[in-house]
Amino acid sequence: MRIFMKKSTPELSETHKLFSNSDPEEVWARAADIVRHINPSHDFYRLRATFDDVVRMFHGEYPGYAAIATPYHDLSHTLSVFMCAVRLMHGVHVSGTPLSEQEMSAIMLAALLHDVGYAQHTGDATGTGAQFTQTHVSRGIQFMRHYAVEQDYPEGMIECLNFLMQSTDHMKGFANIVFPDARTRMLGQIVSTADLVGQMADRLYLEKLMLLYFEFKEARIGNYQSIHDLLSKSFVFYEHVLHKLGNELGGVVDKLPHHFKAWLGVEHNYYAESMGKNIAYLTQVVAHGEAGFAAMLKRGSIASHVHLKLETQYA
């Protein structure tokens, strides 16, 4: 992963917006603005409908489904992945690899739908949905196939989304996906990269790892002995991600500076920088040991308001 040096400094408020993805309408407005700069006549009809339905599903307002209750894989996570995917595809587009309207729609739809497999049917009160961690991608694809028919998605879109959503199954592994062609593989690299980078660049990423611990505990995967144990092992995961980004995922992460150059006039990878800052601070957090690490994780009030509640819930 290359990190480009700044040529100028954008307004501070602009950089803060990069990782502020809690308000769906603000995220939609920023994403739509970028897409219109790529293609002023882009048809947002189905995309907007799906965006609204995904928000409804997370809120428990989609017919037949309860609210998605997974503490780490929440709505802000999906919106962060969606926003990163939009910026990344813009970077790919302006760097010399033009994307068609249908390809852009497929990328955005896959990013929006990639975690709907955590949703539980109405009346299913067992767990939070994290028990589906290992199968949530296949469950999401199953939902997408029915949903896409209902929404009259364009011909060929369902199979394309099948592959793009598979690309977010990091347990299966990107290298194990048999894509139909190199172009679909490239689109999958964009979606998979956005899923990894979008969450790891979040300013609350380290705090949210505490929530991920409880998801893993509910899913009975990872064999982590404590939150501190998961944090300590996150360095290995970070190195794994860097290798994956530069190899299996084709280095498309390096197209992000093209987006920021076109959008902010700064040839810089703010996502890579934020990931680096997170992992650097993680060194200090882990050094405080089991007894003191939580005091270092104060953003978003996650440690003080959510940690104890979830610890009781999953005890």
Side-chain angles (χ1 to χ4, degrees):
M1 181 189 301
R2 294 175 293 164
I3 299 180
F4 289 76
M5 298 301 295
K6 292 183 181 180
K7 291 185 178 180
S8 61
T9 303
E11 292 295 326
L12 187 61
S13 60
E14 286 295 322
T15 57
H16 280 184
K17 288 179 182 178
L18 298 179
F19 308 115
S20 178
N21 299 305
S22 59
D23 185 323
E25 287 306 314
E26 288 184 3
V27 170
W28 174 263
R30 293 201 300 268
D33 199 16
I34 293 171
V35 173
R36 289 191 186 98
H37 276 74
I38 301 174
N39 177 15
S41 63
H42 190 95
D43 183 357
F44 288 99
Y45 177 74
R46 290 186 184 85
L47 182 65
R48 179 71 215 214
T50 301
F51 184 93
D52 290 341
D53 282 340
V54 168
V55 173
R56 290 168 63 205
M57 181 168 280
F58 273 95
H59 288 164
E61 299 168 355
Y62 191 84
Y65 288 88
I68 297 178
T70 38
Y72 179 87
H73 292 93
D74 59 3
L75 178 58
S76 67
H77 165 83
T78 286
L79 295 178
S80 292
V81 173
F82 172 70
M83 199 65 238
C84 184
V86 171
R87 291 180 175 122
L88 186 54
M89 73 180 189
H90 179 231
V92 169
H93 186 85
V94 299
S95 70
T97 305
L99 299 173
S100 70
E101 179 169 328
Q102 184 155 320
E103 288 174 333
M104 290 191 292
S105 291
I107 290 169
M108 290 184 284
L109 289 169
L112 288 171
L113 294 166
H114 83 283
D115 275 346
V116 296
Y118 284 111
Q120 297 173 273
H121 291 284
T122 302
D124 184 356
T126 304
T128 68
Q131 66 267 33
F132 303 127
T133 297
Q134 298 188 69
T135 60
H136 80 279
V137 175
S138 60
R139 293 180 84 247
I141 291 172
Q142 183 179 26
F143 171 85
M144 176 275 294
R145 287 186 177 279
H146 293 288
Y147 179 82
V149 171
E150 292 175 355
Q151 296 296 314
D152 192 28
Y153 278 15
E155 183 179 354
M157 180 64 78
I158 293 178
E159 284 311 307
C160 182
L161 287 176
N162 169 44
F163 287 106
L164 301 197
M165 291 175 70
Q166 281 188 59
S167 74
T168 68
D169 190 344
H170 304 296
M171 293 185 178
K172 177 180 179 179
F174 191 88
N176 296 319
I177 303 172
V178 182
F179 290 94
D181 51 62
R183 190 73 177 186
T184 306
R185 180 183 177 85
M186 186 265 288
L187 301 182
Q189 289 173 328
I190 293 173
V191 174
S192 185
T193 296
D195 186 28
L196 291 169
V197 175
Q199 62 183 298
M200 295 179 71
D202 190 329
R203 294 179 70 249
L204 298 178
Y205 175 63
L206 299 183
E207 283 80 2
K208 289 180 177 181
L209 284 179
M210 294 189 290
L211 306 180
L212 185 61
Y213 166 77
F214 293 110
E215 285 194 19
F216 283 166
K217 186 175 181 181
E218 182 177 343
R220 298 181 179 180
I221 61 174
N223 195 32
Y224 298 106
Q225 301 305 303
S226 65
I227 293 176
H228 186 268
D229 184 36
L230 183 147
L231 292 171
S232 298
K233 293 174 179 175
S234 294
F235 295 104
V236 175
F237 177 71
Y238 178 74
E239 292 300 323
H240 166 74
V241 168
L242 290 184
H243 182 269
K244 183 173 183 176
L245 291 172
N247 291 275
E248 294 173 55
L249 301 185
V252 295
V253 67
D254 292 325
K255 301 300 183 181
L256 281 167
H258 293 279
H259 160 72
F260 290 118
K261 177 64 175 178
W263 204 249
L264 299 176
V266 181
E267 194 171 12
H268 192 67
N269 194 334
Y270 288 105
Y271 281 89
E273 179 183 277
S274 186
M275 288 172 63
K277 287 180 178 179
N278 281 338
I279 205 69
Y281 188 67
L282 181 59
T283 302
Q284 301 177 48
V285 173
V286 170
H288 278 70
E290 290 278 2
F293 78 89
M296 302 286 289
L297 299 174
K298 298 180 179 179
R299 284 179 173 171
S301 301
I302 292 175
S304 59
H305 297 292
V306 181
H307 173 57
L308 293 178
K309 177 181 177 181
L310 291 177
E311 191 168 43
T312 300
Q313 180 179 346
Y314 292 111

